[in-house]
Amino acid sequence: MNMEKIEQAFALVLRNVQLLESQLSTHFYEGLIEQNASYTGKSSLSDLRLIQDDLRALGLTKKEWQKVYQFALVKGAKAMHLQANHQLTPDAIGYIVNFMVETLYSDKVLSILELGSGTGNLAETLLTGIADKTIAYTGFEVDDLMIDLSASIADVMQTDAKFLQIDAIRPQVIDPVDLLVSDLPIGYYPDDEVAKRSAVASEDDHTYAHHLLMAQGFKYLKADGYAIFIAPVDLLSSGQSDLLKKWLQDYARISAVITLPEGIFTEHHQKAIFVLQKSTQSKAPFVFPLTSLTDPEIVKGFMMQFKANMV
């Protein structure tokens, strides 16, 4: 990757977005969506003095575009003071997820469903980072701004990502997928009528949305398939965890728990990666405290142990 090219492209994208923000009296992400539509020739707006030729002349690769958009999404999240559930999944975690996928799946064709695809950053990390597989990717996202944003980015990058505006907790009719991924949005689900159909439903309170997503997501997963969930480190000890653990006993086994370094998520809640398998076999999970995502020795040590324990 050419960092100089990436920085030049980011500066051009930023200039265009800021011009659109002032011309359209809108916010950063709407400006980014319009910038993307202009780049791909799909904009309904005319007479916008945007620098698209200079951007095209850079000839960015998909990986370089992905980096440009990561910078843009971080900038946008700060500018818009986004709530934690709309923050993008950091690239460093995306690379760990890529490694897990490549370790767990040897097939060359893979169907992936992401629950709560948000800005699409994790999707693009998967699609640009896993080079040796043909990936059929679908993202479910309820927020219309996030859908428009992620779809417009996929248009520019020309990645084969399908984003659908769907509340993933409500039952959907889809073909089962090989792999489920989600950087789980944390909080309570407001619709008790929908929630009470789930095995993890709470009788005393609103049910945790992240518990409902896990249980519903498993219905879309093939037998023996894996789910990679990024969730609070106290997932199995927080409120309503007894309901979740009962569901786990019946439907899933915990294959691995990788705790992540503190402070890498903007809300400062420590998180972990939970790898679940749609299987009722019992085997002790692989547990690893990943204390750094930037120290090559620590990351390499984790990768060696994950392969040794999971394959």
Side-chain angles (χ1 to χ4, degrees):
M1 279 195 296
N2 184 326
M3 280 312 291
E4 192 179 337
K5 254 195 337 183
I6 289 165
E7 285 166 16
Q8 285 177 307
F10 174 58
L12 291 168
V13 167
L14 198 57
R15 182 201 175 278
N16 286 346
V17 170
Q18 288 167 343
L19 188 67
L20 286 159
E21 277 186 282
S22 61
Q23 284 190 345
L24 305 175
S25 301
T26 189
H27 56 67
F28 190 97
Y29 278 180
E30 285 287 4
L32 185 54
I33 291 164
E34 278 302 331
Q35 136 64 30
N36 294 340
S38 164
Y39 184 88
T40 54
K42 295 181 179 177
S43 178
S44 56
L45 304 170
S46 57
D47 194 33
L48 293 174
R49 297 179 302 282
L50 303 182
I51 319 166
Q52 301 296 11
D53 289 344
D54 292 2
L55 200 47
R56 288 191 189 95
L58 289 169
L60 298 181
T61 65
K62 286 181 183 179
K63 282 192 174 183
E64 286 166 344
W65 266 121
Q66 200 264 329
K67 210 71 187 159
V68 169
Y69 281 120
Q70 205 211 349
F71 290 151
L73 292 169
V74 168
K75 178 94 177 163
K78 285 178 182 164
M80 292 172 65
H81 308 291
L82 285 188
Q83 55 155 302
N85 282 339
H86 283 163
Q87 303 280 2
L88 79 163
T89 306
D91 255 17
I93 302 212
Y95 299 145
I96 295 291
V97 172
N98 282 0
F99 160 75
M100 289 179 165
V101 174
E102 292 187 285
T103 304
L104 296 170
Y105 291 89
S106 56
D107 292 353
K108 293 298 178 193
V109 179
L110 196 62
S111 54
I112 299 178
L113 173 64
E114 182 179 5
L115 306 178
S117 50
T119 62
N121 192 58
L122 182 56
E124 299 303 353
T125 308
L126 283 162
L127 289 166
T128 57
I130 300 176
D132 65 338
K133 296 185 194 305
T134 302
I135 294 176
Y137 168 93
T138 306
F140 285 179
E141 173 56 55
V142 74
D143 186 284
D144 56 350
L145 174 66
M146 294 291 143
I147 283 281
D148 290 347
L149 180 61
S150 53
S152 76
I153 289 171
D155 265 357
V156 173
M157 290 179 62
Q158 296 184 308
T159 48
D160 194 15
K162 184 167 69 172
F163 296 100
L164 303 174
Q165 188 170 6
I166 279 174
D167 177 352
I169 289 168
R170 292 174 179 270
Q172 309 298 328
V173 180
I174 66 164
D175 290 334
V177 296
D178 298 310
L179 170 69
L180 194 63
V181 295
S182 183
D183 185 348
L184 290 166
I186 307 305
Y188 292 102
Y189 186 69
D191 192 329
D192 292 338
E193 282 303 302
V194 172
K196 73 181 184 185
R197 302 176 202 152
S198 174
V200 296
S202 169
E203 291 182 10
D204 310 318
D205 202 349
H206 288 321
T207 305
Y208 280 155
H210 45 297
H211 291 183
L212 291 167
L213 276 172
M214 291 171 76
Q216 186 60 34
F218 252 62
K219 294 177 182 177
Y220 310 134
L221 187 61
K222 291 178 184 176
D224 296 320
Y226 287 95
I228 299 173
F229 293 124
I230 300 161
V233 75
D234 64 352
L235 180 73
L236 300 174
S237 59
S238 59
Q240 302 186 15
S241 61
D242 287 351
L243 293 163
L244 184 67
K245 285 189 275 198
K246 172 72 174 70
W247 170 78
L248 281 166
Q249 280 176 359
D250 295 337
Y251 294 99
R253 79 176 184 93
I254 301 172
S255 297
V257 181
I258 316 302
T259 58
L260 297 167
E262 288 186 56
I264 57 164
F265 287 89
T266 45
E267 71 270 34
H268 301 302
H269 293 161
Q270 195 181 2
K271 289 196 175 183
I273 301 175
F274 292 84
V275 182
L276 273 52
Q277 188 177 22
K278 192 169 184 176
S279 166
T280 49
Q281 296 173 9
S282 58
K283 181 186 167 191
F286 168 61
V287 179
F288 191 95
L290 191 52
T291 53
S292 171
L293 294 171
T294 52
D295 183 321
E297 288 305 310
I298 290 173
V299 174
K300 191 173 156 192
F302 155 69
M303 288 178 165
M304 285 172 66
Q305 289 202 41
F306 187 85
K307 276 186 173 173
N309 283 273
M310 300 297 287
V311 178

